[in-house]
Amino acid sequence: MSGEARDACGVVGIYAPGEDVARLTYHALYALQHRGQESAGIAVSDGGTVVVYKDLGLVAQVFDETVLSSLRGHLAIGHVRYSTTGASSWANAQPSYKSGPAGQIALAHNGNLVNTVELKRSLAEAGGDPTPERARVASSSDTELVAAHIARERMNKLRGSNGHDPVSAKEAILEVLPKLSGAFSFTMMDEDKVFGARDPFGVRPLCIGRLPDGGWVLASETCALDLLGARFIRDVEPGELVMIDEQGVTSERFAPTTSAACVFEHVYFARPDSTLMGQNVYATRYRMGQRLAEEAPAQAELVMPLPDSGVPSAQGYAQASGIPYGEGFVKNRYVGRTFIQPTQSMRQQGIRMKLNPLREVIAGKRLVVIEDTIVRGNTTRQIVSMLREAGAREVHVRISSPPIKWPCFYGIDMPDQDDLIGAQLSVDEIRAHIQADSLAYLSLEGMLGATEIPQDAFCTACFSSRYPIPIPPIELRNKHVLEEPQTQRSSTRR
Ligand code: SF4
């Protein structure tokens, strides 16, 4: 990936009496760091009080030994964030937290809601707490809004019983979830239970694992379970709320399942050692490379990846084409992602800091360079130029997904439509822009076929404009989408 689309977020939930849950959550967040590098947070409870600690920075920067040892309890949730809505600020770091006479709730969100205007309005009309103005000022994140809705629902139920009945967070959550539109994988907790929920389309992943000593883990990706030594049990189903307490895991449906999982998780976002929808991500990317070699062959002496995410596809391309595979770049692993640089010239310097071509490997050769996607095109152009400077005879760029033509509204931070090069230029014009000798993309059918998962289980909107969850006109305008996108028909099953 040319560092031009940003990850969404990663979430964790742990219920493990007798264990150091803050430390387990910290380790799980460490495994999910690739999903968000802007802020990190953990909420823990000892059964009576929920305590939240969060800050801007990487997991290892936010938490130290002193902080972790102060977070005591037997249940926890955690979050790593890259902002998809809301400014980059402490107030938008998660978990979000609300407390009141009805109890406490903490919430961590991966995804993006598309009906926040409606949710703010209904909170205002109901005289919710916080007021819309305070909600807007306190935090611009949709997660804060959901936490406020759950807190209000819980308060209403307490008032309805004249303050006599204990108020279950579960009932309030089940009231609120059907009102949300968009992508969400939540981990949530009250004082003594952990919850996990996935939107009815299952856009973002969320899985359940079992710790060796009997505790339970919820995590965005299975790589977090592996790090904890937890056994994968199953994915949380789209439209399902799971609750974990001393009784174990119980499940409720709040909507029928209509699978439209983000295919981009398989192409780029998820870690290659994770398993999504029963398929290992590395193996899927390898197959994408094999299909790319069949669809778009090239005459060359070396197949090389753009590290790291292009590696499995480049290996698959090399295997299927019979062209030797080699590492043409050395990557400095200690440099932050290129998109952190605010200006184009700083971004270009950032790329040189991060990647250095291996002249001895590439000089005089015709190269096939495998990348997983092109977003704006500037990074790819820079890479082609670096390879030519290092002596490459020809540079043939192959992309292991189709051109991105539409923005994402479901939790991946992509540029507006007018900054997506795939929306503005033809493939040959893009080739000319990046100054490659040839350029080819994997077809939509090829990408979906490589997942070995039924095609109608996926959201492909950024490639196809078929948005499975309708996008309100104001959201479309905000991302400079001028044409009417298609709406995907999805198979619904209970
Ligand atoms: S629009 Fe693209 S990135 Fe967004 S959820 Fe759909 S497939 Fe994923």
Side-chain angles (χ1 to χ4, degrees):
M1 167 71 92
S2 302
E4 298 164 322
R6 292 177 277 201
D7 307 62
C9 297
V11 295
V12 175
I14 296 196
Y15 187 93
E19 302 213 33
D20 185 347
V21 287
R23 203 168 301 266
L24 291 175
T25 309
Y26 171 83
H27 287 147
L29 290 179
Y30 219 99
L32 298 177
Q33 186 76 82
H34 61 288
R35 299 185 68 88
Q37 300 90 44
E38 187 179 278
S39 67
I42 295 176
V44 291
S45 172
D46 55 5
T49 306
V50 177
V51 176
V52 183
Y53 189 91
K54 58 185 180 178
D55 209 344
L56 299 177
L58 299 170
V59 177
Q61 293 166 327
V62 171
F63 296 98
D64 60 18
E65 199 52 46
T66 315
V67 173
L68 282 176
S69 11
S70 70
L71 296 171
R72 305 203 155 273
H74 61 276
L75 60 154
I77 62 169
H79 190 262
V80 285
R81 178 172 200 265
Y82 207 104
S83 64
T84 50
T85 58
S88 166
S89 71
W90 188 89
N92 284 321
Q94 296 185 30
S96 293
Y97 171 79
K98 292 270 173 268
S99 70
Q104 301 168 70
I105 182 102
L107 189 146
H109 177 200
N110 174 202
N112 188 49
L113 301 180
V114 295
N115 68 333
T116 47
V117 172
E118 205 178 302
L119 291 169
K120 278 185 186 175
R121 192 181 307 127
S122 74
L123 201 59
E125 283 166 5
D129 177 28
T131 62
E133 185 57 21
R134 277 170 53 207
R136 190 179 62 73
V137 172
S139 168
S140 50
S141 88
D142 46 3
T143 315
E144 190 77 7
L145 199 54
V146 176
H149 268 271
I150 295 171
R152 179 172 64 84
E153 203 57 58
R154 221 172 161 191
M155 194 61 213
N156 287 347
K157 289 187 183 304
L158 184 70
R159 284 197 194 106
S161 72
N162 290 325
H164 293 311
D165 292 344
V167 186
S168 149
K170 181 176 140 193
E171 282 173 40
I173 291 167
L174 280 170
E175 287 283 334
V176 172
L177 291 178
K179 295 176 184 157
L180 309 180
S181 178
F184 55 86
S185 282
F186 288 124
T187 53
M188 300 171 268
M189 64 190 286
D190 64 6
E191 297 84 344
D192 55 5
K193 296 177 202 63
V194 169
F195 301 89
R198 247 177 123 192
D199 67 71
F201 296 83
V203 178
R204 300 277 148 238
L206 188 64
C207 64
I208 309 174
R210 192 94 205 248
L211 289 162
D213 291 335
W216 294 93
V217 189
L218 298 169
S220 294
E221 288 183 39
T222 60
C223 64
L225 306 186
D226 295 340
L227 195 147
L228 300 182
R231 184 164 47 91
F232 172 81
I233 301 295
R234 66 175 176 91
D235 288 325
V236 175
E237 290 205 3
E240 182 186 19
L241 172 73
V242 293
M243 184 179 86
I244 309 173
D245 60 11
E246 73 274 8
Q247 312 294 332
V249 180
T250 50
S251 160
E252 298 260 358
R253 297 216 63 88
F254 61 91
T257 292
T258 311
S259 183
C262 172
V263 71
F264 225 51
E265 294 271 357
H266 299 253
V267 173
Y268 169 67
F269 291 113
R271 247 172 62 162
D273 51 339
S274 285
T275 296
L276 293 175
M277 304 165 81
Q279 295 291 341
N280 167 252
V281 173
Y282 175 88
T284 298
R285 290 179 189 161
Y286 190 91
R287 290 191 295 267
M288 286 171 182
Q290 289 176 312
R291 286 191 177 236
L292 188 56
E294 287 158 21
E295 289 186 14
Q299 298 293 318
E301 284 82 42
L302 187 77
V303 177
M304 56 171 281
L306 198 66
D308 289 319
S309 51
V311 170
S313 299
Q315 290 174 340
Y317 191 103
Q319 187 277 332
S321 65
I323 303 169
Y325 170 88
E327 306 272 346
F329 280 113
V330 171
K331 182 177 175 183
N332 184 337
R333 295 181 190 284
Y334 305 98
V335 177
R337 294 189 162 202
T338 52
F339 56 71
I340 293 167
Q341 318 301 331
T343 66
Q344 184 56 28
S345 68
M346 286 173 78
R347 257 198 292 274
Q348 288 177 357
Q349 269 181 22
I351 298 161
R352 286 187 185 276
M353 281 166 71
K354 189 172 162 186
L355 294 176
N356 200 20
L358 266 170
R359 175 172 284 277
E360 290 66 21
V361 174
I362 62 184
K365 293 207 176 85
R366 294 175 298 174
L367 308 175
V368 180
V369 180
I370 309 288
E371 210 178 335
D372 39 41
T373 191
I374 301 179
V375 181
R376 286 193 173 90
N378 297 332
T379 313
T380 312
R381 182 186 163 112
Q382 175 81 358
I383 280 160
V384 172
S385 148
M386 282 161 68
L387 290 169
R388 289 204 196 281
E389 279 169 32
R393 188 146 60 91
E394 290 176 16
V395 181
H396 301 275
V397 176
R398 296 291 180 270
I399 309 296
S400 59
S401 64
I404 297 181
K405 298 186 171 183
W406 297 78
C408 178
F409 295 89
Y410 307 139
I412 300 300
D413 191 13
M414 283 186 191
D416 298 341
Q417 195 176 30
D418 43 13
D419 282 332
L420 292 171
I421 196 167
Q424 303 302 321
L425 301 180
S426 69
V427 173
D428 196 50
E429 287 168 334
I430 299 170
R431 183 207 58 74
H433 174 80
I434 63 173
Q435 297 175 352
D437 292 285
S438 74
L439 167 69
Y441 290 80
L442 183 61
S443 66
L444 188 62
E445 297 67 33
M447 174 183 70
L448 292 171
T451 65
E452 299 191 347
I453 294 167
Q455 298 199 3
D456 63 0
F458 286 112
C459 169
T460 59
C462 51
F463 306 110
S464 66
S465 98
R466 290 195 289 273
Y467 288 98
I469 308 165
I471 312 296
I474 184 168
E475 300 279 347
L476 292 170
R477 283 198 298 278
N478 286 343
K479 287 259 183 193
H480 301 189
V481 175
L482 304 174
E483 310 156 56
E484 186 69 21
Q486 300 175 49
T487 299
Q488 178 171 307
R489 277 187 326 167
S490 300
S491 53
T492 301
R493 56 184 193 274
R494 281 186 185 266

